[in-house]
Amino acid sequence: MSNLELKNLTITYGGAKALNGLSIEVKEGEFVALLGANGAGKTTSLRAISGLLKPTTGSIRFGGEDITKLSGYKRVALGIGHVPEGRQIFPDHTVDENLQLGSFIKRKSYKEVSQTLEEMFGLFPKLRERRKQMAGTLSGGEAQMLAIARSLMSRPRILMLDEPSLGLAPQMVLEMFRYLKKLHAEQGLTILLVEQQARLALQLASRAYILERGQVKIAGLAEDLIIDKRVAEAYLGTSH
Amino acid sequence: MIRRKIIITALTISAMIASTVSATAVDRPGLVPHSVWKSGQAVIKVGLIAPMTGVFATLGVNQRNSLQVLADSINAAGGIGGAKIQIVVRDGGLDPVASTNAAKEFAGDSSIAFVMGPSISSFYAGAAAYYEANKKLNCQAGVAALDFTDYKYGFRSQDFFKDDYAQELSILQRKGVKKFGMIYEAGSTGIAADAFFKDSAPDYGLTYLGWQVITSTQTTHDAELQKLINLGAQAVDISNNAYGAYTTQAAADLNFKGILFGGSGSQNIAFQETGGDHFVGTLMAAPNYQFPIRDKSTWMPGYKAHIDAVVKQYGVTTGPKSGSTSPNGTAIEADCLYAFAVASNKARSFDSTKVRDQMASLDIPAINTPSGVRIHPGTNHNFYSADGISVYQWFKDANGWYTVQVNGLAVLNAKCTIVGWLMHRSNGAPLICTKVGTNLYYKAQSA
Amino acid sequence: MISSYKTLNRVLVAGTAIAIALLYLFPLFARTTNNPSYYLQIVSVALCSAILTISLNICMGYGGLMSLMHTGLQMMGGYAVAILTLNHHWNGWLALVMAIVVGAVFAVLVILLSLRATYLYFGMITLAVNLIAMEAIRQGGSFTGGYNGLIGVMAPGITTTMMTPQAFYVFLLTILIGVYVIQRNLVFSGFGRNTMALRESPETATALGISPNVHRVKIFAVSGALAGLAGGLLSMQLGYAMSEIGDLGSGLIFFVGLFLGGISTLAGPIIGVAVVATIAFLIRGTAQYNTLVLGGLLLLCMVVLPRGVVGMYRYSRFGSPHVREFDQAEIDSFQLDISVKDVVKNQILLESHDLAKHFGGIHAVDGVSIVFRSGEVHGIIGPNGSGKSTLISCLTGYYPLTAGSVEILGNPAPKKPFLISRLGVTRVFQIPHLFERESVLDNVLTGMYRRDRYSIFDAIFRTPRYRKANARSTEEARALLALAGLLNQQDLTAGSISHGQKRLLEVVRAVATQPKILILDEPATGLRQDELDVLKGLISRLAKEGMSVVLIEHNVDFLMNLADIVTVIESGKVIAEGTPMEVQKNEKVLDAYLGRTDFSKELA
Amino acid sequence: MDLQIWVEGLYIGSVYALIALSMTVVYQPTRIMNFAQGEGFVLGAAIGYQTIGVWHWPVWQAGAALILLAMAMGYVMERMVMLPVQLSGNRFAWIIATLAAALIFQSLFNLPYANVTFGYFEFFKTRANIFGAHIAMQKILVFTFMVFAAVFYDQLLKRTLWGRSIRAVAHNNDTSIILGIPTKLVIKVAFISGTVLIACAGFLAAPVIIVAPASGLFFTIQGFTAAIIGGVGSPKGAVAGGLMIGILDSVVRSSLGGTWGVFSTVMALALILVVRPNGFFGKRVVGR
């Protein structure tokens, strides 16, 4: 059902083609990684899916509906969750307030919100300890947890994460990916992960796309790609 | 029926002030100037420059209303020399450049025979040069501070503030007041009044306690009034501006028993609205403001006819609290056009110099003019002489607010400004402004 | 297309010439109307307004400084003339000069007091100053004429005591043309380019060695001087000085004119004022509905012409500049000397010792010692968030250091970024920081700031010194563009060229500053192969000429071919340094980049 | 010093604080200082005048009409300001758009009401006499409303989801969108609620302050000054700034004389911005 499908998407951004006929697909319950060097178009893809960027050509379908022209904020109600690059938590809001903003679309069902909130605190116990604290005072790892939890508050059917490991200590990265794995395994959440640490992402995901210059360069199963030399090349260049 | 009453009243009044009535016998009270000549023009255009928008829009709108009413009635009676009056209005706002542009437009437009405005002293001072250079006849009802002796083509249909105050100070003197002060906003009028009081108070046996400056940002004048009370004030001059109403409020707060007095701006119902019962007893000097006088039969017939027409066409403004009303038209503005019509009829021409000469020599009795004041410009080009100013006192009863006219008691040897001006005394012959040494004083005419 | 553009351009030039001629002949035309002095008056006043609006444009449009005190400056210029001629019987011409001085001095005082305030707050200070100035004039007693103002100001005379209105009109028109030329000269000069650079991106401007404060003061002074002039002229036209002239409400025409004509365009203020004055003329009979009509038209114009008349034209097919074709011979004919002076081979140009930068508890840079040598391409790589950009910001003075030291050419580095830049360290940012609304050529010329040896007066009056320097700079800038294959695009706005060309342009602009050390933050991102080749050639050439090129790059393929030495950074620390080959084989580097391969267990 | 002077300062300061507060409401999500905001104050006064003063409606009925009309005005104002601003792209476009809106509303008020100052009956006729100071109960009402409104708005921003989303939109528009917050609606709500707030202020204050059809810009500038002194975007700052200039004006005026009052507030504005470029409670403003 929650089948996300990008077809032939082109986005021009400041004169450059950030996406150049990109086509990818994410099926319900899948864990897909979107990899590639900087500037390959990963972040642009996610921003297009959540409606922050308007494509010049191509279409986006979600759950059988064409959402290419739909306003960004309405897509959240359809079940698209987006954890943006750099976390973008609201530093002047408390942890609680950040989470409640995440449940904006569910604001009318108070019970469901408080239930989800409890769930989140169960999932990320550290956030419970800090719930009255200003989000700006959280450490990098906690802030990333908060960003994920905030997005989950809208009970999305698909969760898109943009470089969640960025700027985190290795231990924190591990902890965070454990949560992601748990979410995927236990709740059957569909995940689309944009990640710099390709090997790590490939160990989590079932399938991956490697992007280059706004197009899919390689697509395949994670277990195949993890030993594919071309992946390392996409990052570190051809060995000489 | 009504018409007959007007005529009868008019006759009574003209008998009373027979000495001032002169040769315009063809023009009957309350009626339009009688026109027997043919100008050969279908339309005669007159210009009005006034703030029609912005903070002072009320000034322009009321001037326009008053002019329109008079123009309509003159046109209905055949116009001036057969030409129908058309009023051309320009919005000067509070922008000196817009006012100057409009003045220049009218000054240079030969089809405009007569101009009124721009209505702020400094703006007019800037525009007058154009009028003079182009021999453009003009008349000002909103320029209190300038001396019109200097202008060949400029006339004023407004009370000169010093005449207002001279009358009021003489009344204060008669009422036994010894000390008075002023609460007034910063501005050219305040500065001029302050200087006049400093200079003239001794002539009336009064001590002037100084000027408490107020601003538009305050909503109470309690502190200012308290200072004057502490100095022993028995009377206070209040601002002409609507903000002056807070002084009446302060009088209520502090239970001030002294006299409040002000200029013709006190026609504004904001004073009764804000001051309430404590506005009772306030003196107001104006060139005939009979609107709040209940016995309409005592109204000047010309004034009554004009104001009735204004009220019919543009209505009144009613204070929701006090029930006090004021007409939506400024009578003195219509005097400009009235005098222009009469002067043109006499000159049998719209030539500005000819009309100017006729206008300067006009003497229209008070019963005829739209303002109810005698128009007698003379060489100083002021429509109204000092004796044209009346002082009214505000009262209130179960039926609302009304005024009673109080006679000023002019004082011999009071200072004056322009040689030849007359001041009416209720107990004697008019005084005339005379030069003694370097100063001007009101003297008995024989002296 | 190009021919139609040229035709249109000719039509425009001819149209402008005809318009100017007609304007000069206007007094003769006015004489045939029924009201000559009136038509002369409104056009004369509009000319004064246009001068003031140009002044406002210089300040707000080009300088990016919000000013609500231009009506006040105008009022003060008027009072300078009125007080000097009426009270002190000065000659009118001298009084006009003093009006200019008063405007400039007052503007400088205001901005010196409020340099720390930004944007909205600066605007509010100007509003407050405007109110204070008006109040001061009103309380000025007989000196200023108080509330009544000063009446009787006269136009200056040449042979007689006073010019005729017609002569004064011609004088005003000539002044307006002069002010337009000053505006144009200013905008096209190095000074103007730097001012716009500052408006568009204070960061980049600083990186090019421009001192923000000095520039703001200068631009505000010029604007103030012109506003004072406009005020002085207006008082002569009207015959008086009044405090109401300073009222912001009466100044609406300037703002409206500016936006209607097109802010930040040269002709915008004049066309805008012409439009507004015409509208005001046409609706003058609406009396009570005057402001309603004006306000409505204003909103309508903003919706229909959001960029203003000239702005819309500039953005249209016709108004935007076009590619100029150069043939190869022309391109080859450029002579270019970009060798780095006063530097020997392998000289240490910049070094850091144990440099650290902590943000709260985060150790973004944690003890980095690095050396940049002349003639060397030095690559810096590392995963996202490893601290590369922070390191560069520390080296170039954008961040104060937590610990450690930086030496440039053997001396401790100064604290301000623009001072470091002036020592020959030029930085190109990761995100494109071009001055998008300026032409490609102007962008390069902005980079030559440090070489401009002419003053603002040289620029305004185009003195020989300016002309010489400008010709030389332009020649050099073209040569640099030719090197990067951008010569054909020199007239286009930087915003309109392709992404790859933009990156190249940024490098060219940085080279134009004649740096000894050039720091490029991810210049290859998003470039096509042919563009990569050009960039590669350019960088090699620069290194050969003795420059130290520092390259932060994710496109490792690109870097590996080019770098002499590569430093790998992770979590704020140097984890490897060596030739590209060495680094590529380093396991630590692979782990850092791709993550470890043995996470599966830990993830469980 | 005379208590009366302080009380007057507090009252007039609370009027300015209310105006500054409503500007803050609009500023929060839009980063626009609305030059037309004062017109809402005039609207409130005009509605009170017409309904209570002329038609003698009961206060609750007038209040209902007030809120409906103020909402309509807020909606229209949002369109008048935001549409040109979004189209223009120039960072100074808001100045012209809001000035034009102010001009239009001012003209509309002036057409029927040129002769009127919008005074009408005070809701409470009594005057309090506290230590010799005469205070109209209406003024105390305005002051109370200001405190209530400031606390309410502060709490709204902090405690309600809509308030939080206003702050969120102010902080980061894109992130707000991906959380499902309808940012454009938030902006509309801000304009509407800001106008309702300021209209209520005008409605309550009109019996004890002179409001004329063209007073809007005057009150706007006073509100601006208050908001800037306090620090734009902060409810606390709006209140502090408003009370400060109110008291400063009143105290300086009574000790040095009339014109010094206005002078002192403007000087204070300039000085404070020189010393503290972002106001007392303000954060750094980033240009749009």
Side-chain angles (χ1 to χ4, degrees), chain A residues 47 50 52 72-73 76 80 82-84 87-93 97-98 100-105 107 150-151, chain D residues 157-159 161-169 171-183 185-186 283:
Chain A
R47 287 174 67 82
S50 54
L52 296 176
Y73 74 92
V76 182
I80 295 179
H82 182 174
V83 183
R87 306 186 268 279
Q88 307 298 345
I89 52 167
F90 300 116
D92 297 341
H93 290 65
E97 289 170 357
N98 265 282
Q100 275 165 13
L101 281 170
S103 63
F104 189 88
I105 57 161
R107 60 190 175 278
R150 185 181 62 180
S151 197
Chain D
L157 278 185
K158 283 187 183 146
R159 299 210 190 273
L161 195 60
W162 276 99
R164 286 170 191 154
S165 52
I166 289 176
R167 281 158 64 208
V169 173
H171 185 77
N172 191 324
N173 197 55
D174 277 0
T175 306
S176 306
I177 290 174
I178 60 174
L179 295 178
I181 299 170
T183 51
L185 183 65
V186 167
K283 299 197 184 99

Side-chain angles (χ1 to χ4, degrees), chain B residues 23 66 73 143 203 225 245 302 327 392 396 410 425-426:
Chain B
S66 180
S73 56
V143 180
D203 297 336
L225 185 59
Y392 302 92
K396 187 188 161 189
R425 293 196 299 172
S426 54

Side-chain angles (χ1 to χ4, degrees), chain B residues 133-299:
Chain B
N134 288 282
K135 299 184 176 174
K136 187 63 66 179
L137 189 63
N138 65 94
C139 171
Q140 306 301 330
V143 180
L146 301 171
D147 183 350
F148 275 62
T149 318
D150 303 340
Y151 301 124
K152 288 196 175 73
Y153 289 86
F155 288 80
R156 165 165 48 210
S157 71
Q158 195 186 18
D159 43 329
F160 194 48
F161 78 97
K162 291 183 184 179
D163 293 331
D164 287 9
Y165 285 138
Q167 295 261 354
E168 288 182 316
L169 291 188
S170 73
I171 291 170
L172 292 186
Q173 185 184 31
R174 194 174 62 195
K175 294 197 175 225
V177 170
K178 295 287 174 219
K179 294 177 173 179
F180 75 101
M182 175 168 84
I183 298 180
Y184 217 99
E185 72 270 7
S188 54
T189 324
I191 293 169
D194 183 52
F196 176 77
F197 286 146
K198 275 185 190 146
D199 207 34
S200 306
D203 297 336
Y204 297 89
L206 295 166
T207 307
Y208 174 53
L209 301 172
W211 175 14
Q212 297 291 323
V213 182
I214 49 167
T215 66
S216 56
T217 55
Q218 58 192 111
T219 60
T220 169
H221 297 162
D222 284 13
E224 285 77 9
L225 185 59
Q226 188 64 57
K227 278 186 193 161
L228 288 179
I229 291 173
N230 293 346
L231 291 169
Q234 297 154 298
V236 174
D237 174 34
I238 62 172
S239 166
N240 254 334
N241 194 299
Y243 291 108
Y246 289 127
T247 309
T248 59
Q249 173 78 67
D253 286 343
L254 303 174
N255 206 16
F256 178 63
K257 300 287 189 204
I259 300 168
L260 301 176
F261 64 100
S264 50
S266 323
Q267 295 169 18
N268 192 323
I269 52 158
F271 287 87
Q272 293 91 281
E273 282 290 288
T274 315
D277 289 352
H278 281 260
F279 197 67
V280 169
T282 301
L283 297 176
M284 170 184 86
N288 188 55
Y289 185 62
Q290 293 172 314
F291 190 72
I293 294 177
R294 291 208 182 118
D295 183 2
K296 277 192 163 190
S297 66
T298 65
W299 289 17

Side-chain angles (χ1 to χ4, degrees), chain D residues 54-77:
Chain D
V54 179
W55 292 335
H56 302 290
W57 287 10
V59 172
W60 68 266
Q61 209 174 321
L66 170 84
I67 286 168
L68 281 177
L69 283 166
M71 286 174 78
M73 185 191 206
Y75 180 80
V76 173
M77 191 140 41

